[in-house]
Amino acid sequence: MKKTSRRRAKLVLVLGGASSGKSQAALELAGNAAPKAFVATGQALDREMAERIRRHQRMRSPDWETMEVPVDLAGWFRKQGQEYRAIVVDCLTLWLSNLGATGVRDDAVNDHVTDLLRAIRRTQALVLLVSNELGLGLVPLGRSARRFRDVAGRVNQRIAAEADEVHFIVSGQTLRLK
């Protein structure tokens, strides 16, 4: 009896600083695969964030289906991930912030990352995860900001280790790390 091999997702991590061009780079790396989904973790909690979201929406072509998933990324991938050939999740840093706002403790974040990675690998899509690299700036003065930076750094390391490719974006320029 012939064994059928199921292709697993290709996982790409796109890292960069704020306004570095990482979202645009992720859209370009997704290529022409269709159908494609843009999974947004940001929430319009104030005017400035609402404008950022509108600006991001304008930079995407109309063939992107936009989903707003601030917290349950793994659940979204399990339920809808098979429907798409390319998926951009923008961004993991906001996702971590949203998890924290729902009461998820730092020591439980790793379980959420494990669940997300498992759900992604069950799809057959090209999955691009966008995340901020927070470790290149000054050490934050506040304890909670330092703690968040450290958690985000560990999450980025974990996903980079699992990823098939890692791209670092600086001033709109892409450096492939892996």
Side-chain angles (χ1 to χ4, degrees), residues 50-67:
E51 179 52 36
R52 282 179 181 270
I53 290 170
R54 281 192 293 278
R55 200 169 45 246
H56 270 251
Q57 289 169 339
R58 287 191 299 266
M59 68 188 240
R60 292 192 298 274
S61 62
D63 56 341
W64 284 95
E65 289 185 52
T66 300
M67 311 295 165

Side-chain angles (χ1 to χ4, degrees), residues 37-42 60 64-70 72-73 76-77 84 87-91 128:
F38 186 91
V39 180
T41 61
R60 292 192 298 274
W64 284 95
E65 289 185 52
T66 300
M67 311 295 165
E68 295 178 3
V69 186
D72 191 14
L73 287 176
W76 183 88
F77 272 95
Y84 300 96
I87 301 167
V88 171
V89 175
D90 195 357
C91 83
L128 298 108

Side-chain angles (χ1 to χ4, degrees), residues 12-14 24-31 126 128 165 167 169 174:
V12 178
L13 177 61
V14 181
Q24 184 62 40
L27 294 173
E28 291 170 9
L29 287 166
L126 166 59
L128 298 108
E165 292 180 17
H167 297 261
I169 314 303
T174 302

Side-chain angles (χ1 to χ4, degrees), residues 6-162:
R6 187 175 171 278
R7 187 178 69 109
R8 73 178 196 154
K10 178 178 181 182
L11 179 58
V12 178
L13 177 61
V14 181
L15 287 169
S19 299
S20 63
K22 60 191 175 295
S23 297
Q24 184 62 40
L27 294 173
E28 291 170 9
L29 287 166
N32 295 321
K36 49 191 170 184
F38 186 91
V39 180
T41 61
Q43 301 175 82
L45 301 176
D46 58 38
R47 283 187 186 164
E48 185 269 339
M49 191 61 176
E51 179 52 36
R52 282 179 181 270
I53 290 170
R54 281 192 293 278
R55 200 169 45 246
H56 270 251
Q57 289 169 339
R58 287 191 299 266
M59 68 188 240
R60 292 192 298 274
S61 62
D63 56 341
W64 284 95
E65 289 185 52
T66 300
M67 311 295 165
E68 295 178 3
V69 186
V71 177
D72 191 14
L73 287 176
W76 183 88
F77 272 95
R78 282 191 295 273
K79 291 176 189 163
Q80 294 181 266
Q82 292 296 340
E83 298 174 23
Y84 300 96
R85 292 194 54 220
I87 301 167
V88 171
V89 175
D90 195 357
C91 83
L92 292 180
T93 315
L94 284 173
W95 175 63
L96 291 173
S97 179
N98 297 339
L99 285 175
T102 64
V104 173
R105 293 188 342 252
D106 293 350
D107 59 354
V109 167
N110 195 47
D111 293 337
H112 287 269
V113 172
T114 297
D115 193 29
L116 175 60
L117 289 170
R118 284 183 183 148
I120 287 170
R121 289 299 192 185
R122 288 186 182 119
T123 73
Q124 295 182 31
L126 166 59
V127 178
L128 298 108
L129 301 178
V130 176
S131 190
N132 286 290
E133 174 51 66
L134 302 177
L136 295 174
L138 297 173
V139 175
L141 293 175
R143 180 177 177 251
S144 65
R146 285 191 305 272
R147 194 182 79 242
F148 182 79
R149 180 209 51 197
D150 293 346
V151 169
R154 286 190 298 272
V155 168
N156 286 344
Q157 288 179 52
R158 171 104 187 274
I159 291 175
E162 173 75 20

